[in-house]
Amino acid sequence: HLHSLSAPQLVHRREERHELGGYFISNGNERAIRLLIVPRRNHVTGIVRPSFRNRGPLFTPYATVIRCANSDQCSLTVGLHLLSSGSARLRITISKNEFFLPVVLVLRALRECSDREVYE
């Protein structure tokens, strides 16, 4: 029923404009599984997964994930993990290797600022 729709009509029905994959809806379960396998582009997803605690001593089960996509369809998945100390780690994956960067370090690398500005 979506095959003949134009790109703006797909967006109006909450479909991705450039998404080539498909899924079947059966009580909404397949859509949830699909979003875990390949998240929507440029859409933040909050996740509670107990296995996140295995990533380090301060990691909690809470994270947000976003799959950033360019107009040329290049994509990168970025995660933000909450730590029990109150800080957070930014997770990026490069060549199937995960790297966890302190968020404060990333903020200070992007803009020259004081500790007070980062805190506020």
Side-chain angles (χ1 to χ4, degrees), residues 1 20 25-26 58 76 79 86 93 99 114 116:
H1 69 282
L20 300 176
I25 298 175
S26 175
L58 296 176
L76 174 71
T93 305
F99 298 95
S114 68
R116 179 174 292 282

Side-chain angles (χ1 to χ4, degrees), residues 95-106:
S95 300
K96 297 184 180 181
N97 292 317
E98 287 185 334
F99 298 95
F100 293 94
L101 304 170
V103 171
V104 173
L105 181 69
V106 174

Side-chain angles (χ1 to χ4, degrees), residues 22-118:
Y23 54 89
F24 296 98
I25 298 175
S26 175
N27 297 327
N29 293 331
E30 282 73 12
R31 182 177 177 96
I33 292 169
R34 181 204 170 273
L35 289 174
L36 285 174
I37 295 170
V38 180
R40 288 183 62 185
R41 298 173 193 180
N42 304 319
H43 183 80
V44 178
T45 305
I47 299 175
V48 178
R49 188 175 294 162
S51 63
F52 286 156
R53 288 187 175 142
N54 300 334
R55 296 182 186 252
L58 296 176
F59 280 78
T60 64
Y62 307 105
T64 59
V65 178
I66 183 169
R67 184 173 148 232
C68 305
N70 241 345
S71 58
D72 65 353
Q73 307 309 319
C74 258
S75 69
L76 174 71
T77 302
V78 179
L80 187 65
H81 293 266
L82 180 65
L83 302 183
S84 59
S85 63
S87 64
R89 294 282 189 268
L90 186 73
R91 176 179 48 95
I92 58 172
T93 305
I94 301 173
S95 300
K96 297 184 180 181
N97 292 317
E98 287 185 334
F99 298 95
F100 293 94
L101 304 170
V103 171
V104 173
L105 181 69
V106 174
L107 291 174
R108 295 195 72 174
L110 294 174
R111 180 176 173 261
E112 188 173 330
C113 57
S114 68
D115 288 342
R116 179 174 292 282
E117 289 174 311
V118 170

